[in-house]
Amino acid sequence: MTLIGARLQIIRGITCLVLSGFIATTASSAPSAKTDVRYDITVRIDPASRRIEGRSLITVSAAGELTLVLGRRFEVTHALVDGLPMGRSISSTVNTQAWWIPRRQHGQRRIEIHWRGELAPMDSSLEHRQTLGRSEPASGSAGTFLPDSSGWYPHLVGTLPRYRVSLELPSGQRGLVAGRLIDESETTESYRASFEFPFPSEGIDLMAGPYAIGTDTMRGAGGKPIQIRTYFHPQIRDLAKKYREEVKGYIEFYETWIGEYPFTEFSVVSSPTPTGFGMPTLTYLGIEVLRLPFIRATSLGHEVLHNWWGNGVYPDYAHGNWSEGLTTFMADYAYKEREGAEAAREMRVGWLRDFSALASGQDMPLTKFTSRTHGASQIVGYNKAAMVFLMMRDLLGQETFDRALQLFWHEQRFRVASWTDLQRAFETVSGRDLRIFFKQWLTRSGAPVVRIAEAVRTYSNSSHRVSITLEQSEPIYQLRVPIGLRTEEGEEVRMLDLEQKRQTFTLEVPARPIEVTLDPGLRLFRQLMPQEAPPILRQVMVDETVVSVLLPETGEAYAAAELLATKLQNHSLRIFSATNALPTVSMLVIGLHDQIDAWLARRQLPLRPGIVQGKGSAQAWTVSRPGGATVTLVSARDVAALTALARPLPHYGRQSYVVFEDAKMIERGIWPMRMQVIKID
Ligand SMILES: [Zn+2]
């Protein structure tokens, strides 16, 4: 259970790793999608000996100079450029070798190249975090994964090629690349398959393994047949049918919402390592990941949607990757909305709370986000961006919002598009000037702090009125602030346009006003005030000013407490004496049950909360103090129970409390948000 939360995020995170491999090679020279480049590749792989042998015929429509790159581990055995020998490589780094191909007067270029080499062993013992950022081409009988960024085939820098790949594997092994399956055959000796990707692509990833293949065919929106395939390891083949059915449901859902599915295939492919990648026409997920019951309900839909956003329209990385935020909004968040208003609200609370728990320096503007490299970049690049789309939809209404996305899809399919292109689509369809909206949410880091400074009843003879003063931090944003109004007759939400540092609004209300609440639905992206945000365990992990109080004085219990404190913090420990007066900074306090109870009583802090009282062998919870500092308490029955926490507890940063029985989490949760409410008398 420990890994579920962490894994789910990793799966989302890895999604665009393949694409980020692409950025590394093209960031300096923008891909010129206008040049028509085609690869015709034939490759033979023997996973047992890890040998690969390939031939490629590259044709280029333009006469300009080119740079050809291949992974360093491969040897070129034959190379002709327009019929002449290609010459020696001009440069090589640890991982790559490169050739410069000079400009020609006119005409089409033709490069013929043969190569071979040995692949790295597939290491299925990797932990999921280690698979992030790995770009070695790896092979073995359990699986082969040749990511584009590993340079497993010769490619031209800065181009978006169309391709055809024919692969050959020994009998028992099956494989694929993204694209349309145009040919497949099997004999007692070998498996062969050919794929075609007829659109400008961001590169080629190849996967193989001892797969059982399952196929269903569905009709897409335009009547086109779409093949839904599973390439599953034998041990999970019984899950295959369900996965294909779910994929079909997601394709129908997004075709209705956005427009026609752009491809003729979608495959779910299992990996011996705990990875999670999304490529055009397929997703590559670890065997153990595919076994997790919630993957079909969440991550799978996210991956399918990337065929529109990310792999159908390519983000302009140099100006910020919008595709993760839009995919999060239309997949993860949309599923929560389908579940109910409460589930959706909870997700928004999580986004705001996580953002508010970021340490200084971890935040960045959305225009700087490229792909997920750590938790903080997900909080911005996925969650903040998703909330920006939510605010956009709240502003324009569902129908206009959807039509803008449909227009964006229609215009940008298989092109590199930026936030500016999205803005233009929203402006065209809505007829509104959205410059300020996009500028303030995309180019600034941080978020506005908004508070109700005052809310009073103002009297008039004939009606009830309430006068509300709102304040915001600097820099000033133009905000539509939802305000909940409760009167003797009921509740309603009004939108107030806050455009200054301090502004007063007078509202007529239908009956005697009782109280006002700031943004009751949590639909505005803002920095929660310390007293609003429910404290979570993550705060002691990221906040470098935290001090630790270890209550056991000596021996094994002290050592266990010290180890745990180290595991929970990304920085060196600052030990604070238990007898000192409470510091103003946040604290982590670790001890045995009776030590914790005595310490809380002596400090006049809230006693052990009822929800954890008497449960499990160990408990951790947070308490917030006036002024914003938090106290995180970790309390164990005995030394063994304390020791057992060192591995699992750091995974529960998003919780306010968690209960363990030895190393197993048995209960967890988040304290409720404390809303900004002002009573009116
Ligand atoms: Zn994604």
Side-chain angles (χ1 to χ4, degrees):
M1 290 296 279
T2 316
L3 289 170
I4 287 178
R7 265 206 190 150
L8 178 60
Q9 291 173 19
I10 296 297
I11 293 155
R12 290 187 190 138
I14 295 176
T15 299
C16 288
L17 182 66
V18 174
L19 304 182
S20 56
F22 163 80
I23 327 169
T25 55
T26 56
S28 55
S29 58
S32 71
K34 284 179 216 117
T35 311
D36 187 16
V37 176
R38 282 169 197 270
Y39 299 159
D40 193 344
I41 297 172
T42 305
V43 67
R44 186 194 302 157
I45 298 162
D46 178 28
S49 65
R50 306 199 315 271
R51 300 290 305 172
I52 180 171
E53 227 181 281
R55 297 195 308 271
S56 180
L57 176 63
I58 304 174
T59 51
V60 185
S61 65
E65 65 184 48
L66 300 165
T67 308
L68 185 80
V69 173
L70 179 66
R72 183 77 190 276
R73 60 169 64 238
F74 303 106
E75 173 201 1
V76 172
T77 54
H78 169 89
L80 293 176
V81 176
D82 302 322
L84 299 169
M86 181 165 75
R88 295 165 67 92
S89 64
I90 47 155
S91 74
S92 55
T93 64
V94 184
N95 296 318
T96 60
Q97 44 192 330
W99 292 263
W100 177 66
I101 296 170
R103 202 187 153 73
R104 226 172 63 153
Q105 287 315 82
H106 52 77
Q108 186 172 319
R109 319 293 308 255
R110 197 185 144 89
I111 303 164
E112 204 186 312
I113 181 163
H114 298 189
W115 75 100
R116 67 182 177 203
E118 194 180 297
L119 302 163
M122 172 64 89
D123 182 359
S124 52
S125 70
L126 289 179
E127 292 225 353
H128 47 272
R129 263 174 207 285
Q130 295 170 292
T131 66
L132 272 166
R134 258 179 105 86
S135 63
E136 271 193 331
S139 185
S141 53
T144 296
F145 181 44
L146 313 183
D148 178 67
S149 55
S150 70
W152 68 271
Y153 66 96
H155 67 273
L156 292 171
V157 174
T159 61
L160 298 177
R162 297 159 208 265
Y163 61 80
R164 181 187 275 245
V165 172
S166 300
L167 55 91
E168 184 184 334
L169 293 156
S171 161
Q173 290 275 326
R174 291 173 184 91
L176 75 162
V177 298
R180 188 165 71 89
L181 177 69
I182 48 176
D183 191 30
E184 188 177 30
S185 65
E186 199 161 13
T187 64
T188 48
E189 277 88 53
S190 67
Y191 170 85
R192 286 165 203 263
S194 300
F195 297 84
E196 184 179 50
F197 196 82
F199 313 105
S201 79
E202 292 193 303
I204 313 170
D205 310 282
L206 185 149
M207 286 132 278
Y211 295 135
I213 299 178
T215 309
D216 290 335
T217 305
M218 68 178 279
R219 289 267 163 202
K224 164 184 85 181
I226 302 171
Q227 291 214 55
I228 313 295
R229 288 197 143 202
T230 39
Y231 290 76
F232 276 18
H233 283 78
Q235 59 267 43
I236 52 164
R237 67 188 309 166
D238 56 323
L239 295 173
K241 181 84 189 148
K242 280 209 173 83
Y243 268 91
R244 294 197 300 272
E245 276 163 13
E246 292 284 345
V247 167
K248 186 167 170 270
Y250 286 121
I251 290 178
E252 283 165 356
F253 180 60
Y254 291 116
E255 284 202 317
T256 310
W257 195 353
I258 307 166
E260 203 178 321
Y261 181 70
F263 305 110
T264 48
E265 258 75 16
F266 187 87
S267 302
V268 184
V269 185
S270 63
S271 160
T273 62
T275 50
F277 292 98
M279 296 96 162
T281 76
L282 65 93
T283 181
Y284 186 49
L285 297 169
I287 294 170
E288 294 310 317
V289 177
L290 286 164
R291 278 184 168 140
L292 298 171
F294 60 85
I295 293 296
R296 282 201 309 273
T298 55
S299 311
L300 184 64
H302 180 111
E303 299 305 335
V304 170
L305 179 55
H306 269 312
N307 284 279
W308 282 263
W309 313 135
N311 295 324
V313 182
Y314 310 128
D316 177 1
Y317 292 100
H319 300 100
N321 177 359
W322 48 266
S323 77
E324 288 302 342
L326 188 53
T327 303
T328 301
F329 180 64
M330 295 179 72
D332 313 55
Y333 181 71
Y335 310 150
K336 291 289 176 188
E337 282 192 332
R338 216 159 40 170
E339 203 179 308
E342 199 41 51
R345 185 180 190 274
E346 223 166 85
M347 184 167 255
R348 298 193 298 272
V349 170
W351 291 345
L352 293 179
R353 191 201 54 228
D354 289 351
F355 185 81
S356 297
L358 282 182
S360 61
Q362 288 191 311
D363 186 17
M364 62 176 138
L366 280 173
T367 46
K368 294 269 184 297
F369 170 75
T370 52
S371 66
R372 179 174 179 241
T373 48
H374 48 78
S377 58
Q378 171 167 11
I379 289 166
V380 177
Y382 288 57
N383 305 354
K384 178 180 178 180
M387 193 110 180
V388 168
F389 285 108
L390 174 80
M391 291 188 292
M392 181 96 278
R393 193 186 64 185
D394 281 351
L395 181 68
L396 304 182
Q398 176 92 51
E399 204 213 321
T400 305
F401 180 85
D402 288 352
R403 272 196 294 127
L405 288 179
Q406 289 157 8
L407 175 72
F408 178 70
W409 170 241
H410 182 73
E411 288 185 337
Q412 305 296 341
R413 230 172 62 125
F414 301 117
R415 292 177 155 191
V416 176
S418 67
W419 278 107
T420 312
D421 296 307
L422 268 165
Q423 180 186 333
R424 203 164 39 232
F426 284 116
E427 286 181 335
T428 304
V429 172
S430 69
R432 298 171 79 133
D433 179 348
L434 299 170
R435 270 176 299 181
I436 293 175
F437 179 94
F438 277 90
K439 191 167 180 217
Q440 69 185 10
W441 293 118
L442 300 186
T443 62
R444 291 179 186 170
S445 57
V449 179
V450 182
R451 61 180 281 266
I452 304 177
E454 195 180 45
V456 290
R457 190 142 57 106
T458 47
Y459 293 91
S460 100
N461 292 337
S462 55
S463 62
H464 296 282
R465 283 183 190 165
V466 57
S467 174
I468 301 167
T469 303
L470 297 179
E471 279 181 359
Q472 65 166 311
S473 56
E474 294 195 39
I476 303 298
Y477 281 74
Q478 291 200 2
L479 302 171
R480 291 181 81 223
V481 183
I483 293 286
L485 286 170
R486 194 152 77 82
T487 67
E488 278 176 336
E489 282 186 0
E491 287 175 57
E492 60 175 309
V493 176
R494 302 261 185 106
M495 306 302 287
L496 304 184
D497 289 312
L498 177 63
E499 294 175 350
Q500 295 160 24
K501 190 164 169 52
R502 185 182 166 97
Q503 232 172 309
T504 300
F505 304 84
T506 302
L507 310 176
E508 294 227 341
V509 287
R512 192 187 136 89
I514 299 170
E515 62 180 32
V516 298
T517 307
L518 182 81
D519 189 15
L522 296 150
R523 308 185 77 91
L524 177 67
F525 191 76
R526 60 193 175 95
Q527 180 76 40
L528 298 178
M529 298 181 63
Q531 56 274 32
E532 285 178 283
I536 53 174
L537 298 169
R538 186 166 199 275
Q539 276 152 300
V540 296
M541 303 180 190
V542 298
D543 180 352
E544 299 200 355
T545 64
V546 165
V547 296
S548 299
V549 176
L550 310 180
L551 297 177
E553 280 168 7
T554 50
E556 269 181 83
Y558 183 86
E562 191 181 30
L563 175 70
L564 186 58
T566 312
K567 290 264 185 187
L568 280 173
Q569 295 177 77
N570 302 331
H571 44 90
S572 52
L573 283 195
R574 299 168 64 204
I575 302 287
F576 193 78
S577 163
T579 54
N580 282 357
L582 282 185
T584 52
V585 296
S586 293
M587 314 170 71
L588 169 66
V589 184
I590 304 176
L592 303 179
H593 286 340
D594 51 344
Q595 295 171 326
I596 292 280
D597 289 334
W599 187 85
L600 286 171
R602 212 162 49 235
R603 301 288 158 194
Q604 291 169 334
L605 284 165
L607 299 180
R608 188 181 300 265
I611 200 158
V612 304
Q613 180 82 46
K615 293 178 184 167
S617 62
Q619 306 148 358
W621 71 96
T622 57
V623 173
S624 57
R625 292 171 54 206
T630 63
V631 184
T632 297
L633 297 121
V634 182
S635 178
R637 186 173 56 202
D638 48 36
V639 178
L642 195 56
T643 309
L645 295 178
R647 250 174 83 90
L649 187 57
H651 290 286
Y652 290 92
R654 299 190 79 210
Q655 309 301 321
S656 294
Y657 68 88
V658 53
V659 180
F660 287 91
E661 186 62 57
D662 302 321
K664 187 169 181 281
M665 185 280 295
I666 55 169
E667 214 174 312
R668 62 180 170 172
I670 297 163
W671 305 135
M673 271 282 295
R674 279 153 305 167
M675 308 299 296
Q676 280 190 51
V677 181
I678 303 232
K679 297 237 180 292
I680 300 168
D681 32 52

